[in-house]
Amino acid sequence: MSRIATTEKTQEYLERYINGVKKRNPGETEFHQAVYEVAQSIFPYIADKPHYHEQQIMERLAEPDRVISFRVCWADDNGNIRVNRGYRVQNNNAIGPYKGGIRFHPSVTQSVLKFLAFEQTFKNSLTGLPMGGGKGGADFNPKGKSDSEVMRFCQSFITELYRHIGEDTDIPAGDIGVGAREIGYMFGQYKRITNRFVGVLTGKGLEFGGSLIRTEATGYGTVYMLENMMQHAGNSVDGKTVAISGSGNVATYAAEKVIQLGGKVVTLSDSSGFVYDSEGIDTEKLAYVIDLKTVKRGRISVAAEEFPSMEFHEGKRPWAASVDVVLPCATQNEISTDDATKLLSNGLIAVSEGANMPTEIDAIKAFQAAGVLYAPSKAANAGGVAVSGLEMSQNSARISWSEDELQKLLSSTMKDIHDKCVQYGQGENGKVDYLAGANVAGFAKVADAMMAYGVV
Ligand code: NDP
Ligand code: 2IT
C-alpha cells in the first residue's frame, strides 16, 4: 500500500474514532479535545499494528473504568446548607492503582475531570512508575470561604469518597484549589472514618507521611523539562526572559527554578489579571507572592501595590509580553491561537506546560509549525505526580527519603521523560515532536498492559 493511501486511511480512522467519542460524550468539549490531542499521534503510530485496532484499545482508553458522582452537603458559617457536586473519574488502572489530583473550582464539570483523568493515564505511564490514571474534584469554590467552611466541605466530600479510594486502589492528591490545607482535612477525615493510617492521599504534611519536595516538584519539573529541551537544541534557560501564568503551587515553584537557572521571570497572574515586572521577579518578590497567595489568600494585584517595578493588568493574560519562554501554569485553554500568533511575533522560542492542556490545539500547531520547542503538559508537569509516586513508596515502606535523594530522583525522572519524547518523537530531519513523543511513549506501556489482560 502506498504511503498516501495509508495516511488517508489513518485520517479516516481518526475522524471516525473522534466522531464516535463525540457521540458517546455529548457536550463534553474538554474531553473531546484531550482525546483528539492524543489520538492524532496514536493513529499514525498504530497504523501498522492491527492488534491494537482489533482489541479496540483506543476505544477502551476513552471510556473511563468508572465515573463516580455524588452530592456534597455542608453548612456555611451562617448555618445555611450548601450543596455541591463531587466526582472521581477512575480512567484506567492497567499499570497501577488510579492516581491523580482533586480540583476544587466552580468550573469543575464531568467533562473537565474526564479530560484530566484521560491525560493523567498517559502522564503517569511516562513517569515510569506503576500508577494508573484518575482525577476528582467538586464545583466548590474555596475562594472567600473560612478555614472552618473549607474543613466542613472537605470532611463531607471524603465521607462519600472514602469508600472508593485506598492506598492500593486510588490515591488522590492536590490540584487547583486543593493544597496542603485541604489535603490535611481530607486525610484527617479518611483516617477518622476508616481507623487506618495509610498513604491514601499524597501531598500530605511532612508530619503525617508527606514527602519532601512534593510541594516544589511540579513547578521544578516543568523547568527541568524546559532545560532538557533547550540543552538538546544547544541552548539553555540562562539569560532567557520568561512569562509565567498563575501564582499558585505550580507557577511559583516554576518561577523559583527559572530564577535559580539564571532566567528572568517577568509575569505571574491569577484569575483577575497579571503582573508585569520589567526588572524581573526575584526571590524576594516571589517569597512575597507565595505568602500572599498561600497564607493571606490574597489577589496578585496586591503584589503590584507592594513593588514599584510591578504593574498590574486587570482582566488580561500575560501573553502580550515580549519573552523567549512561556510557562502556562494556571488552567486549561489559557493560550489561544491569537495569543500564540502574538507570542511568535515577539520571538518566542520555547513553551513548557505546567498546567494541564493550557494550549488550544490550533495554538499548539502554530508553535510547532514555527519550530518552537513545545513540551506538552503530560510530559512537562509529570514531576508532581512522579514525586507523589515516591510518596506512595515511602508510605508503604514507612520510611522517609532525604531531600537530596528526592531531588536527584525528580531531576532524573524528568530527563528520562525528555529522552522518551525524543526516542518516540524525533523525525527524519532530527526535529523532535515532543507532543507525539509523549503521547506514543505514554500509550505504548498502557496499551501493552491492556493487551495482556484480555478483554476486561
Ligand atoms: P493552584 O490552585 O495552586 O493555583 C492555580 C492558579 O491558577 C491560581 O493563580 C489561580 O488564580 C489560577 N487560575 C485557576 N483557574 C483559573 C482560571 N480559570 N482562569 C485564570 N486563572 C486561573 O493550582 P496549581 O498550581 O496546583 O495548578 C495549576 C495548574 O497546574 C492546573 O492546570 C493543574 O491541573 C496543573 N497541575 C498541578 C499539579 C500539582 O501538583 N499541583 C501537578 C500537575 C499539573 P486564582 O487564585 O485567581 O484562582
Ligand atoms: O495533574 C496532576 O498531575 C496533579 N494534579 C498531581 C497528581 C498527583 O497525584 O500528584
Side-chain angles (χ1 to χ4, degrees), residues 117-130:
F118 180 81
E119 283 281 296
Q120 197 83 41
T121 303
F122 303 93
K123 182 196 310 192
N124 292 2
S125 165
L126 277 174
T127 66
L129 297 172

Side-chain angles (χ1 to χ4, degrees), residues 103 143 175 177 214 218 247-250 271 293 299 330 355-356:
R103 178 177 290 191
K143 240 178 260 161
D175 194 78
R214 175 62 190 88
T218 312
S247 49
N249 172 261
V250 180
S271 52
K293 296 301 285 189
R299 311 306 300 150
N356 284 304

